[in-house]
Amino acid sequence: MLRRKTLSGLDKLRLDLNADQFKKTFLETANQNRALALKQINDAKLQFPSLFTLMPEIETLNLYEGLNSRNLQALKVCAKKLNKADLAAQLNQIYPNEASQESLNWMFQTGAGWRAQLYNNEYEAVLDAVTAILLKVYQDKNILPQVVELIFQRNQVGSFIHDLVWSFFQVFDEKALAQVADHLISDNKSEVKLAQNLLALPAPAQADKQILENQREQYLNWLKANSPFLYQSGESFQLTSEPKPLNLDLAAKYLVKKINYDREPLKPWTDAETRYVQRFKKYPPAEQKIMAEYSLRLHDQNKRLWKNWLRKRGWRSVKKN
């Protein structure tokens, strides 16, 4: 819940009045005292929902020249996303620079918790665009906890989540995935189903509390063991109803060599490691999975034995173990 003492005067009005009353009050203030209206809208404590709500009034009053850079940057993002070409051109004349990470963060941090957004398609579209830039361009993992909760909040009311989910998977973060997994044990069936879809997990035939707790525990154990070898698949809800956003690189797991989210090794493979992988890939996928699992387990137990095993064609020893 927002603390009123941290809110700007306009934010307090927005929360106390309905949208029409809020807009009317701002118009009256601006008509009586333009300087005061600009001071209110440029308040450092202002939250993005208030700026967004007052966009038509700002246009009617033509307040653009008096807006601070934060507000101009935010309005440029809105204009671009909402296909308001004339407004975008006008704002570009006043402020030609692109929105900074600081301004985008302000839009997200002060705007993600606005409950009314769940029923406003245009606001959701703008927030989705901001989220995409912060995650795809700036790799800002700090917003991921809020993104996760926003996905589940929207799902509850039937709002659009596909773009938000796409943005979520533009970065890899084990804690954020664990946060999604926590929803597997929710009392809300739709939350459980969404968590299973996001994590590409099957829905158990009998989904009682214990089974779901076991599914969560198994997933977290799998994630902890395999996170160094996961990469982005490129699949999303835009392409399929059952995407698998993350893939496991079995060859990297076999070598116990970490990769990045684009499936690039963090350290180049040696010539010997390349030969090991070539040999490894001659086996069928099911056997590769067993070999990779065995290799990682042996590596964690005894690195000397693991190195010796890797140098040998030790598949038969896997079967025996």
Side-chain angles (χ1 to χ4, degrees):
M1 183 177 293
L2 295 172
R3 296 181 180 179
R4 289 187 65 87
K5 65 180 180 180
T6 67
L7 299 175
S8 70
L10 282 180
D11 293 320
K12 292 175 183 177
L13 281 176
R14 173 173 53 83
L15 295 175
D16 291 341
L17 305 175
N18 63 41
D20 289 338
Q21 291 171 333
F22 175 55
K23 294 179 177 186
K24 181 180 178 182
T25 300
F26 181 75
L27 272 175
E28 291 173 349
T29 299
N31 286 327
Q32 294 171 9
N33 191 331
R34 189 179 182 87
L36 176 59
L38 283 170
K39 183 179 179 180
Q40 289 177 335
I41 203 75
N42 287 328
D43 192 325
K45 294 189 293 184
L46 185 81
Q47 298 191 337
F48 175 59
S50 292
L51 179 69
F52 183 87
T53 303
L54 293 174
M55 280 181 64
E57 286 63 43
I58 293 171
E59 181 177 12
T60 299
L61 296 162
N62 195 20
L63 296 177
Y64 300 120
E65 292 283 356
L67 296 179
N68 61 21
S69 61
R70 176 203 66 193
N71 288 338
L72 288 170
Q73 291 175 64
L75 290 178
K76 282 184 67 173
V77 173
C78 294
K80 183 176 181 179
K81 182 60 184 178
L82 300 178
N83 296 317
K84 297 179 180 290
D86 291 342
L87 175 58
Q90 182 180 357
L91 292 171
N92 201 50
Q93 290 293 321
I94 302 170
Y95 191 90
N97 298 331
E98 292 298 318
S100 66
Q101 184 177 3
E102 182 181 5
S103 293
L104 292 167
N105 259 309
W106 170 75
M107 294 173 73
F108 182 87
Q109 297 292 351
T110 68
W114 189 36
R115 297 294 298 180
Q117 66 155 300
L118 300 175
Y119 308 96
N120 187 317
N121 293 336
E122 288 192 339
Y123 186 88
E124 286 185 355
V126 169
L127 199 63
D128 287 357
V130 170
T131 304
I133 299 171
L134 286 173
L135 291 174
K136 180 68 174 177
V137 178
Y138 293 106
Q139 301 284 293
D140 187 353
K141 294 185 179 183
N142 294 323
I143 70 171
L144 285 173
Q146 290 165 276
V147 173
V148 171
E149 294 314 308
L150 189 55
I151 289 170
F152 282 91
Q153 287 172 10
R154 286 195 190 171
N155 185 65
Q156 282 296 97
V157 297
S159 292
F160 186 72
I161 64 169
H162 291 184
D163 289 347
L164 210 53
V165 171
W166 179 88
S167 296
F168 173 76
F169 283 105
Q170 295 309 299
V171 294
F172 177 80
D173 187 82
E174 191 173 337
K175 289 182 179 179
L177 290 168
Q179 184 182 350
V180 174
D182 287 339
H183 289 270
L184 290 169
I185 56 175
S186 170
D187 292 329
N188 188 303
K189 291 183 179 180
S190 67
E191 279 194 26
V192 174
K193 183 178 179 180
L194 177 58
Q196 290 168 338
N197 287 343
L198 292 175
L199 301 176
L201 296 174
Q206 295 181 339
D208 62 31
K209 195 71 173 178
Q210 188 59 54
I211 289 175
L212 292 173
E213 287 179 356
N214 290 342
Q215 185 178 49
R216 172 182 174 273
E217 191 67 23
Q218 289 169 5
Y219 176 79
L220 292 177
N221 290 337
W222 176 87
L223 179 64
K224 182 178 181 180
N226 292 288
S227 62
F229 320 114
L230 294 174
Y231 64 94
Q232 186 182 29
S233 71
E235 293 185 13
S236 67
F237 281 119
Q238 284 92 335
L239 301 175
T240 174
S241 60
E242 296 182 353
K244 187 180 179 183
L246 300 177
N247 279 342
L248 174 61
D249 190 321
L250 290 175
K253 184 175 180 178
Y254 178 69
L255 293 178
V256 196
K257 299 276 284 190
K258 295 180 180 181
I259 60 173
N260 64 21
Y261 207 34
D262 294 319
R263 206 181 183 181
E264 299 167 337
L266 297 188
K267 293 183 179 179
W269 292 353
T270 64
D271 291 341
E273 287 170 336
T274 301
R275 290 195 302 271
Y276 298 157
V277 169
Q278 290 172 345
R279 183 181 68 199
F280 171 78
K281 289 185 175 180
K282 292 179 181 179
Y283 291 100
E287 294 187 8
Q288 288 183 23
K289 184 176 180 181
I290 297 172
M291 292 173 70
E293 189 67 37
Y294 179 83
S295 178
L296 179 62
R297 187 167 68 248
L298 185 60
H299 172 275
D300 292 344
Q301 291 173 351
N302 191 316
K303 287 186 179 179
R304 183 182 62 81
L305 286 178
W306 171 75
K307 288 180 180 178
N308 289 334
W309 174 81
L310 201 60
R311 280 195 293 267
K312 297 185 299 183
R313 302 196 175 193
W315 175 224
R316 186 168 296 177
S317 67
V318 177
K319 288 183 176 181
K320 291 179 180 180
N321 285 277

